[in-house]
Amino acid sequence: QQQVKQSPQSLIVQKGGISIINCAYENTAFDYFPWYQQFPGKGPALLIAIRPDVSEKKEGRFTISFNKSAKQFSLHIMDSQPGDSATYFCAASMTASYGKLTFGQGTILTVHP
Amino acid sequence: EAQVTQNPRYLITVTGKKLTVTCSQNMNHEYMSWYRQDPGLGLRQIYYSMNVEVTDKGDVPEGYKVSRKEKRNFPLILESPSPNQTSLYFCASSPWGQESSPLHFGNGTRLTVT
C-alpha cells in the first residue's frame, strides 16, 4: 500500500522558473512531513520539513505548502537553478515514531540552464 | 565527520549466494533503518532498529534479515538473494525520541542479482 503518493514522476524546468512537486497522504495520524533531496550517487538528505499546525514554511527558495483538509502538501522551488537538479522525495511520519518515514515515489527534477 | 558508511558500494552476485551489506554510523544514534530504492516506487523500508537488540520489520522485509548487536552497526543480510532483490539499498540513522531529527543516509549500495 502506498500511503504517500507523489507527482509528477519527472519534471523539467528552465532556469529561473518555479518547480512544483505534489504529495498526497492517506493516514491522518501523520503529523510530520519532510522533503528529502538526493543527488546522483548520494543518499537523500533532509531539505525542509513542516508540521500540520502551519500551512506554509519557507526556507530560502524552498517552500512547503500544506493543506490538512485535503491531505496534501507540496514543495515549491522558486528561481530554480541547475544545481537544484536532483531527485526529491516527500515523506510522512507520526510523532510517536520519528524515524519511521513513509516516502513518496520520488520526482526527478531537471533544471535546464 | 559524522556519517553513515555502507559497504560495498557496488555488488554483483548470483541467485542463492548469501551476502551481507554492512552499515556503520559514528553519531551514537539509537535508530537505524534499511531502505531499498526502486524507480517509480521511491524508498521502501525493509527493517529498522530502535536500539541494540531491538529490530522490527518495515514494509518490505521478505528475503532480508538484520541484526543489531552493537549500537553503531546494522548489517543487512540476504541469505538467498533473488533477482527481484536487485536494487539500490540505503542505510539510515537518527537519534530516537528527538523531535524533527532528520534521517542521515549512507551513500547507497547498488546490488545486482543475476
Side-chain angles (χ1 to χ4, degrees):
Chain A
Q1 72 284 11
Q2 191 71 44
Q3 294 193 58
V4 179
K5 294 183 179 179
Q6 183 173 345
S7 63
Q9 195 166 358
S10 63
L11 179 63
I12 299 174
V13 174
Q14 291 297 122
K15 179 182 175 181
I18 302 173
S19 305
I20 302 174
I21 304 171
N22 300 299
C23 283
Y25 62 98
E26 299 171 3
N27 188 345
T28 55
F30 287 147
D31 59 2
Y32 176 64
F33 302 90
W35 285 87
Y36 279 74
Q37 180 188 53
Q38 181 186 31
F39 293 108
K42 299 292 186 181
L46 179 66
L47 179 65
I48 186 173
I50 196 169
R51 292 197 175 273
D53 51 343
V54 297
S55 60
E56 187 176 282
K57 182 174 182 180
K58 184 176 181 180
E59 290 184 2
R61 296 183 293 107
F62 300 90
T63 299
I64 300 178
S65 297
F66 186 82
N67 186 329
K68 188 174 181 179
S69 61
K71 294 188 287 185
Q72 295 176 347
F73 59 110
S74 59
L75 176 70
H76 296 239
I77 306 174
M78 310 300 288
D79 187 26
S80 298
Q81 299 297 311
D84 297 330
S85 297
T87 299
Y88 292 81
F89 293 97
C90 63
S93 72
M94 294 179 279
T95 300
S97 56
Y98 298 121
K100 187 164 172 40
L101 288 171
T102 298
F103 285 88
Q105 296 92 327
T107 296
I108 301 172
L109 171 66
T110 303
V111 181
H112 285 314
Chain B
E1 179 189 355
Q3 59 186 359
V4 177
T5 303
Q6 294 179 230
N7 281 298
R9 287 297 306 273
Y10 301 92
L11 180 57
I12 301 174
T13 190
V14 296
T15 299
K17 186 176 182 181
K18 181 179 179 179
L19 66 92
T20 299
V21 183
T22 64
C23 174
S24 181
Q25 51 95 4
N26 62 2
M27 295 169 281
N28 201 36
H29 287 166
E30 291 81 10
Y31 182 91
M32 297 186 74
S33 181
W34 277 101
Y35 287 86
R36 61 178 288 174
Q37 181 177 352
D38 301 289
L41 296 176
L43 290 155
R44 294 178 294 167
Q45 190 177 52
I46 302 171
Y47 268 94
Y48 65 96
S49 169
M50 291 188 286
N51 216 322
V52 175
E53 302 292 1
V54 181
T55 63
D56 206 349
K57 297 177 181 179
D59 299 316
V60 288
E62 295 78 19
Y64 304 95
K65 286 177 58 177
V66 293
S67 69
R68 187 90 181 274
K69 293 184 170 57
E70 304 167 284
K71 195 172 187 179
R72 63 182 292 126
N73 296 323
F74 191 44
L76 179 69
I77 304 156
L78 285 71
E79 298 226 329
S80 183
S82 63
N84 65 12
Q85 293 178 299
T86 292
S87 187
L88 179 59
Y89 291 87
F90 287 99
C91 180
S93 72
S94 74
W96 183 255
Q98 293 186 23
E99 187 169 322
S100 304
S101 294
L103 276 175
H104 298 259
F105 283 85
N107 284 331
T109 295
R110 186 167 291 282
L111 172 65
T112 302
V113 183
T114 61

mmCIF file of all heavy atoms in Angstrom, chain B residues 77-110:
data_model
loop_
_atom_site.group_PDB
_atom_site.id
_atom_site.type_symbol
_atom_site.label_atom_id
_atom_site.label_comp_id
_atom_site.label_asym_id
_atom_site.label_seq_id
_atom_site.Cartn_x
_atom_site.Cartn_y
_atom_site.Cartn_z
ATOM 1 N N ILE B 77 21.346 -8.635 5.737
ATOM 2 C CA ILE B 77 21.727 -9.967 5.274
ATOM 3 C C ILE B 77 20.701 -10.490 4.284
ATOM 4 O O ILE B 77 19.499 -10.472 4.565
ATOM 5 C CB ILE B 77 21.851 -10.939 6.469
ATOM 6 C CG1 ILE B 77 22.850 -10.392 7.486
ATOM 7 C CG2 ILE B 77 22.253 -12.335 5.996
ATOM 8 C CD1 ILE B 77 22.644 -10.909 8.880
ATOM 9 N N LEU B 78 21.199 -10.952 3.136
ATOM 10 C CA LEU B 78 20.351 -11.633 2.175
ATOM 11 C C LEU B 78 20.833 -13.074 2.120
ATOM 12 O O LEU B 78 21.901 -13.357 1.576
ATOM 13 C CB LEU B 78 20.436 -10.984 0.794
ATOM 14 C CG LEU B 78 19.710 -9.641 0.590
ATOM 15 C CD1 LEU B 78 20.409 -8.501 1.332
ATOM 16 C CD2 LEU B 78 19.575 -9.334 -0.888
ATOM 17 N N GLU B 79 20.098 -13.975 2.716
ATOM 18 C CA GLU B 79 20.563 -15.347 2.858
ATOM 19 C C GLU B 79 20.502 -16.105 1.536
ATOM 20 O O GLU B 79 21.341 -16.963 1.251
ATOM 21 C CB GLU B 79 19.748 -16.074 3.923
ATOM 22 C CG GLU B 79 19.875 -15.475 5.308
ATOM 23 C CD GLU B 79 20.099 -16.531 6.389
ATOM 24 O OE1 GLU B 79 19.585 -17.653 6.213
ATOM 25 O OE2 GLU B 79 20.770 -16.222 7.391
ATOM 26 N N SER B 80 19.512 -15.815 0.716
ATOM 27 C CA SER B 80 19.388 -16.468 -0.582
ATOM 28 C C SER B 80 18.865 -15.441 -1.577
ATOM 29 O O SER B 80 17.673 -15.423 -1.913
ATOM 30 C CB SER B 80 18.448 -17.670 -0.491
ATOM 31 O OG SER B 80 18.377 -18.352 -1.732
ATOM 32 N N PRO B 81 19.758 -14.572 -2.069
ATOM 33 C CA PRO B 81 19.310 -13.471 -2.927
ATOM 34 C C PRO B 81 18.611 -13.962 -4.197
ATOM 35 O O PRO B 81 18.976 -15.008 -4.757
ATOM 36 C CB PRO B 81 20.610 -12.738 -3.271
ATOM 37 C CG PRO B 81 21.574 -13.150 -2.222
ATOM 38 C CD PRO B 81 21.198 -14.539 -1.834
ATOM 39 N N SER B 82 17.655 -13.187 -4.628
ATOM 40 C CA SER B 82 16.946 -13.479 -5.877
ATOM 41 C C SER B 82 16.970 -12.224 -6.759
ATOM 42 O O SER B 82 17.194 -11.117 -6.255
ATOM 43 C CB SER B 82 15.507 -13.895 -5.593
ATOM 44 O OG SER B 82 14.809 -12.836 -4.980
ATOM 45 N N PRO B 83 16.753 -12.383 -8.065
ATOM 46 C CA PRO B 83 16.826 -11.229 -8.979
ATOM 47 C C PRO B 83 15.900 -10.076 -8.581
ATOM 48 O O PRO B 83 16.229 -8.911 -8.849
ATOM 49 C CB PRO B 83 16.440 -11.836 -10.324
ATOM 50 C CG PRO B 83 16.930 -13.247 -10.243
ATOM 51 C CD PRO B 83 16.651 -13.665 -8.814
ATOM 52 N N ASN B 84 14.775 -10.357 -7.941
ATOM 53 C CA ASN B 84 13.876 -9.254 -7.562
ATOM 54 C C ASN B 84 14.416 -8.430 -6.387
ATOM 55 O O ASN B 84 13.787 -7.447 -5.964
ATOM 56 C CB ASN B 84 12.456 -9.757 -7.277
ATOM 57 C CG ASN B 84 12.382 -10.672 -6.080
ATOM 58 O OD1 ASN B 84 13.326 -10.799 -5.302
ATOM 59 N ND2 ASN B 84 11.238 -11.324 -5.896
ATOM 60 N N GLN B 85 15.559 -8.826 -5.870
ATOM 61 C CA GLN B 85 16.224 -8.023 -4.845
ATOM 62 C C GLN B 85 17.296 -7.119 -5.443
ATOM 63 O O GLN B 85 17.994 -6.421 -4.704
ATOM 64 C CB GLN B 85 16.801 -8.920 -3.753
ATOM 65 C CG GLN B 85 15.707 -9.629 -2.929
ATOM 66 C CD GLN B 85 16.259 -10.549 -1.891
ATOM 67 O OE1 GLN B 85 16.964 -11.530 -2.202
ATOM 68 N NE2 GLN B 85 15.952 -10.268 -0.629
ATOM 69 N N THR B 86 17.412 -7.139 -6.755
ATOM 70 C CA THR B 86 18.268 -6.172 -7.434
ATOM 71 C C THR B 86 17.700 -4.782 -7.184
ATOM 72 O O THR B 86 16.537 -4.507 -7.504
ATOM 73 C CB THR B 86 18.311 -6.461 -8.947
ATOM 74 O OG1 THR B 86 18.992 -7.702 -9.161
ATOM 75 C CG2 THR B 86 19.021 -5.347 -9.701
ATOM 76 N N SER B 87 18.507 -3.921 -6.571
ATOM 77 C CA SER B 87 18.001 -2.627 -6.146
ATOM 78 C C SER B 87 19.152 -1.769 -5.624
ATOM 79 O O SER B 87 20.297 -2.204 -5.545
ATOM 80 C CB SER B 87 16.958 -2.814 -5.043
ATOM 81 O OG SER B 87 16.322 -1.591 -4.713
ATOM 82 N N LEU B 88 18.804 -0.539 -5.265
ATOM 83 C CA LEU B 88 19.725 0.379 -4.602
ATOM 84 C C LEU B 88 19.313 0.433 -3.138
ATOM 85 O O LEU B 88 18.167 0.771 -2.826
ATOM 86 C CB LEU B 88 19.648 1.757 -5.249
ATOM 87 C CG LEU B 88 20.524 2.869 -4.670
ATOM 88 C CD1 LEU B 88 22.000 2.474 -4.723
ATOM 89 C CD2 LEU B 88 20.301 4.177 -5.438
ATOM 90 N N TYR B 89 20.247 0.098 -2.255
ATOM 91 C CA TYR B 89 19.938 -0.011 -0.836
ATOM 92 C C TYR B 89 20.586 1.130 -0.054
ATOM 93 O O TYR B 89 21.738 1.494 -0.290
ATOM 94 C CB TYR B 89 20.446 -1.349 -0.286
ATOM 95 C CG TYR B 89 19.665 -2.519 -0.816
ATOM 96 C CD1 TYR B 89 20.018 -3.123 -2.030
ATOM 97 C CD2 TYR B 89 18.568 -3.027 -0.119
ATOM 98 C CE1 TYR B 89 19.286 -4.193 -2.532
ATOM 99 C CE2 TYR B 89 17.844 -4.100 -0.612
ATOM 100 C CZ TYR B 89 18.214 -4.670 -1.819
ATOM 101 O OH TYR B 89 17.480 -5.734 -2.319
ATOM 102 N N PHE B 90 19.820 1.653 0.890
ATOM 103 C CA PHE B 90 20.317 2.720 1.754
ATOM 104 C C PHE B 90 20.120 2.364 3.212
ATOM 105 O O PHE B 90 19.064 1.886 3.620
ATOM 106 C CB PHE B 90 19.585 4.036 1.475
ATOM 107 C CG PHE B 90 19.965 4.685 0.188
ATOM 108 C CD1 PHE B 90 19.179 4.539 -0.949
ATOM 109 C CD2 PHE B 90 21.127 5.441 0.099
ATOM 110 C CE1 PHE B 90 19.545 5.130 -2.138
ATOM 111 C CE2 PHE B 90 21.491 6.045 -1.090
ATOM 112 C CZ PHE B 90 20.705 5.886 -2.211
ATOM 113 N N CYS B 91 21.169 2.641 3.975
ATOM 114 C CA CYS B 91 21.097 2.568 5.416
ATOM 115 C C CYS B 91 20.945 3.987 5.939
ATOM 116 O O CYS B 91 21.484 4.937 5.346
ATOM 117 C CB CYS B 91 22.374 1.938 5.955
ATOM 118 S SG CYS B 91 22.439 1.790 7.752
ATOM 119 N N ALA B 92 20.205 4.151 7.018
ATOM 120 C CA ALA B 92 19.990 5.481 7.591
ATOM 121 C C ALA B 92 19.964 5.386 9.103
ATOM 122 O O ALA B 92 19.663 4.325 9.672
ATOM 123 C CB ALA B 92 18.688 6.082 7.070
ATOM 124 N N SER B 93 20.254 6.509 9.753
ATOM 125 C CA SER B 93 20.206 6.536 11.207
ATOM 126 C C SER B 93 19.693 7.883 11.690
ATOM 127 O O SER B 93 19.746 8.887 10.957
ATOM 128 C CB SER B 93 21.593 6.273 11.811
ATOM 129 O OG SER B 93 22.447 7.386 11.611
ATOM 130 N N SER B 94 19.181 7.904 12.897
ATOM 131 C CA SER B 94 18.777 9.158 13.527
ATOM 132 C C SER B 94 18.712 8.947 15.027
ATOM 133 O O SER B 94 18.550 7.812 15.491
ATOM 134 C CB SER B 94 17.427 9.648 12.988
ATOM 135 O OG SER B 94 16.373 8.876 13.511
ATOM 136 N N PRO B 95 18.816 10.031 15.800
ATOM 137 C CA PRO B 95 18.621 9.892 17.236
ATOM 138 C C PRO B 95 17.145 9.637 17.528
ATOM 139 O O PRO B 95 16.283 10.252 16.914
ATOM 140 C CB PRO B 95 19.083 11.236 17.796
ATOM 141 C CG PRO B 95 19.001 12.181 16.654
ATOM 142 C CD PRO B 95 19.193 11.389 15.411
ATOM 143 N N TRP B 96 16.862 8.732 18.397
ATOM 144 C CA TRP B 96 15.474 8.374 18.675
ATOM 145 C C TRP B 96 14.902 9.292 19.736
ATOM 146 O O TRP B 96 15.548 9.610 20.696
ATOM 147 C CB TRP B 96 15.398 6.927 19.164
ATOM 148 C CG TRP B 96 14.002 6.461 19.413
ATOM 149 C CD1 TRP B 96 13.390 6.292 20.611
ATOM 150 C CD2 TRP B 96 13.054 6.110 18.416
ATOM 151 N NE1 TRP B 96 12.105 5.852 20.423
ATOM 152 C CE2 TRP B 96 11.878 5.729 19.091
ATOM 153 C CE3 TRP B 96 13.060 6.080 17.022
ATOM 154 C CZ2 TRP B 96 10.733 5.326 18.418
ATOM 155 C CZ3 TRP B 96 11.928 5.671 16.353
ATOM 156 C CH2 TRP B 96 10.776 5.307 17.049
ATOM 157 N N GLY B 97 13.686 9.721 19.527
ATOM 158 C CA GLY B 97 12.996 10.499 20.537
ATOM 159 C C GLY B 97 13.243 11.988 20.447
ATOM 160 O O GLY B 97 12.721 12.745 21.248
ATOM 161 N N GLN B 98 14.037 12.429 19.478
ATOM 162 C CA GLN B 98 14.258 13.863 19.325
ATOM 163 C C GLN B 98 13.373 14.382 18.200
ATOM 164 O O GLN B 98 13.483 13.949 17.062
ATOM 165 C CB GLN B 98 15.726 14.146 19.013
ATOM 166 C CG GLN B 98 16.650 13.810 20.177
ATOM 167 C CD GLN B 98 18.077 14.223 19.890
ATOM 168 O OE1 GLN B 98 18.323 15.101 19.069
ATOM 169 N NE2 GLN B 98 19.022 13.584 20.544
ATOM 170 N N GLU B 99 12.531 15.315 18.526
ATOM 171 C CA GLU B 99 11.575 15.816 17.554
ATOM 172 C C GLU B 99 12.274 16.388 16.327
ATOM 173 O O GLU B 99 13.217 17.139 16.422
ATOM 174 C CB GLU B 99 10.722 16.902 18.202
ATOM 175 C CG GLU B 99 9.576 17.385 17.330
ATOM 176 C CD GLU B 99 8.624 18.255 18.118
ATOM 177 O OE1 GLU B 99 8.382 17.946 19.280
ATOM 178 O OE2 GLU B 99 8.133 19.224 17.552
ATOM 179 N N SER B 100 11.751 16.001 15.191
ATOM 180 C CA SER B 100 12.227 16.518 13.908
ATOM 181 C C SER B 100 13.676 16.196 13.603
ATOM 182 O O SER B 100 14.318 16.892 12.824
ATOM 183 C CB SER B 100 12.046 18.052 13.837
ATOM 184 O OG SER B 100 10.711 18.398 14.077
ATOM 185 N N SER B 101 14.226 15.160 14.209
ATOM 186 C CA SER B 101 15.588 14.767 13.858
ATOM 187 C C SER B 101 15.599 14.151 12.473
ATOM 188 O O SER B 101 14.814 13.245 12.198
ATOM 189 C CB SER B 101 16.122 13.748 14.859
ATOM 190 O OG SER B 101 16.268 14.328 16.112
ATOM 191 N N PRO B 102 16.462 14.636 11.609
ATOM 192 C CA PRO B 102 16.472 14.083 10.253
ATOM 193 C C PRO B 102 17.134 12.711 10.207
ATOM 194 O O PRO B 102 17.978 12.391 11.035
ATOM 195 C CB PRO B 102 17.301 15.096 9.470
ATOM 196 C CG PRO B 102 18.228 15.667 10.478
ATOM 197 C CD PRO B 102 17.439 15.715 11.766
ATOM 198 N N LEU B 103 16.745 11.940 9.219
ATOM 199 C CA LEU B 103 17.447 10.700 8.927
ATOM 200 C C LEU B 103 18.752 11.045 8.207
ATOM 201 O O LEU B 103 18.764 11.862 7.290
ATOM 202 C CB LEU B 103 16.598 9.800 8.026
ATOM 203 C CG LEU B 103 15.560 8.906 8.684
ATOM 204 C CD1 LEU B 103 14.751 8.192 7.615
ATOM 205 C CD2 LEU B 103 16.215 7.893 9.605
ATOM 206 N N HIS B 104 19.829 10.404 8.641
ATOM 207 C CA HIS B 104 21.118 10.536 7.973
ATOM 208 C C HIS B 104 21.340 9.277 7.152
ATOM 209 O O HIS B 104 21.373 8.173 7.707
ATOM 210 C CB HIS B 104 22.245 10.690 8.998
ATOM 211 C CG HIS B 104 22.115 11.914 9.846
ATOM 212 N ND1 HIS B 104 22.849 13.057 9.609
ATOM 213 C CD2 HIS B 104 21.337 12.188 10.911
ATOM 214 C CE1 HIS B 104 22.515 13.971 10.510
ATOM 215 N NE2 HIS B 104 21.606 13.472 11.299
ATOM 216 N N PHE B 105 21.474 9.450 5.845
ATOM 217 C CA PHE B 105 21.607 8.312 4.944
ATOM 218 C C PHE B 105 23.060 8.070 4.560
ATOM 219 O O PHE B 105 23.863 9.012 4.450
ATOM 220 C CB PHE B 105 20.815 8.559 3.658
ATOM 221 C CG PHE B 105 19.328 8.370 3.807
ATOM 222 C CD1 PHE B 105 18.532 9.396 4.264
ATOM 223 C CD2 PHE B 105 18.739 7.166 3.468
ATOM 224 C CE1 PHE B 105 17.159 9.233 4.397
ATOM 225 C CE2 PHE B 105 17.371 6.988 3.585
ATOM 226 C CZ PHE B 105 16.577 8.030 4.056
ATOM 227 N N GLY B 106 23.379 6.800 4.325
ATOM 228 C CA GLY B 106 24.627 6.463 3.671
ATOM 229 C C GLY B 106 24.537 6.755 2.178
ATOM 230 O O GLY B 106 23.494 7.224 1.695
ATOM 231 N N ASN B 107 25.608 6.447 1.446
ATOM 232 C CA ASN B 107 25.642 6.750 0.024
ATOM 233 C C ASN B 107 25.130 5.619 -0.862
ATOM 234 O O ASN B 107 25.197 5.708 -2.088
ATOM 235 C CB ASN B 107 27.050 7.151 -0.404
ATOM 236 C CG ASN B 107 27.372 8.577 0.033
ATOM 237 O OD1 ASN B 107 26.494 9.426 0.161
ATOM 238 N ND2 ASN B 107 28.639 8.831 0.296
ATOM 239 N N GLY B 108 24.651 4.574 -0.237
ATOM 240 C CA GLY B 108 23.965 3.547 -1.005
ATOM 241 C C GLY B 108 24.841 2.371 -1.419
ATOM 242 O O GLY B 108 26.070 2.491 -1.536
ATOM 243 N N THR B 109 24.190 1.246 -1.632
ATOM 244 C CA THR B 109 24.816 0.035 -2.167
ATOM 245 C C THR B 109 23.965 -0.437 -3.333
ATOM 246 O O THR B 109 22.783 -0.730 -3.155
ATOM 247 C CB THR B 109 24.890 -1.070 -1.098
ATOM 248 O OG1 THR B 109 25.750 -0.662 -0.046
ATOM 249 C CG2 THR B 109 25.399 -2.376 -1.718
ATOM 250 N N ARG B 110 24.574 -0.480 -4.500
ATOM 251 C CA ARG B 110 23.824 -0.940 -5.672
ATOM 252 C C ARG B 110 24.068 -2.434 -5.837
ATOM 253 O O ARG B 110 25.173 -2.856 -6.114
ATOM 254 C CB ARG B 110 24.235 -0.195 -6.927
ATOM 255 C CG ARG B 110 23.347 -0.567 -8.127
ATOM 256 C CD ARG B 110 23.530 0.370 -9.290
ATOM 257 N NE ARG B 110 23.024 1.712 -9.060
ATOM 258 C CZ ARG B 110 21.752 2.077 -9.113
ATOM 259 N NH1 ARG B 110 20.812 1.160 -9.387
ATOM 260 N NH2 ARG B 110 21.402 3.327 -8.909
#
